[in-house]
Amino acid sequence: AIILCLALGASLWDQRQNLLSVLEAGGVGYWEVRLPSGAMTASRRMRELFGVRADEPLTQALLVDRLADESRAEREALMARVLRGEAE
């Protein structure tokens, strides 16, 4: 059972690395949030797109602040729907 768990973990790690390579090759910016801490990490491209320096701490408040007004309004509406259980 332990060997199966290790093999599954290694497979998931490989799949994650493949996905990140594809995103990087496509010039797509992405970020990740670690739950429950809320700690965030971001790709180099995402930081470029949002104008966030490599040494600048990444927070949700910072990202929301960098959104265009229209995008911010859309995000707030979607978050409200998610919190009400109406969207994923």
Side-chain angles (χ1 to χ4, degrees):
I2 292 175
I3 293 174
L4 178 60
C5 288
L6 291 174
L8 287 172
S11 177
L12 288 172
W13 179 258
D14 287 345
Q15 290 176 19
R16 181 181 186 278
Q17 291 306 109
N18 289 341
L19 176 60
L20 294 178
S21 295
V22 168
L23 292 172
E24 187 72 28
V28 175
Y30 63 89
W31 69 88
E32 299 175 276
V33 178
R34 289 187 180 83
L35 301 175
S37 72
M40 299 180 74
T41 56
S43 68
R44 186 184 79 250
R45 180 66 178 140
M46 182 269 164
R47 287 181 174 271
E48 289 172 4
L49 291 169
F50 278 78
V52 179
R53 296 185 321 271
D55 63 340
E56 190 172 4
L58 190 62
T59 65
Q60 288 189 34
L62 173 70
L63 295 179
V64 170
D65 186 54
R66 303 281 170 98
L67 292 174
D69 290 339
E70 180 180 309
S71 295
R72 190 176 304 115
E74 288 176 22
R75 179 195 177 276
E76 289 173 7
L78 179 57
M79 288 299 292
R81 289 182 53 220
V82 167
L83 292 173
R84 290 190 307 263
E86 299 170 359
E88 294 182 19

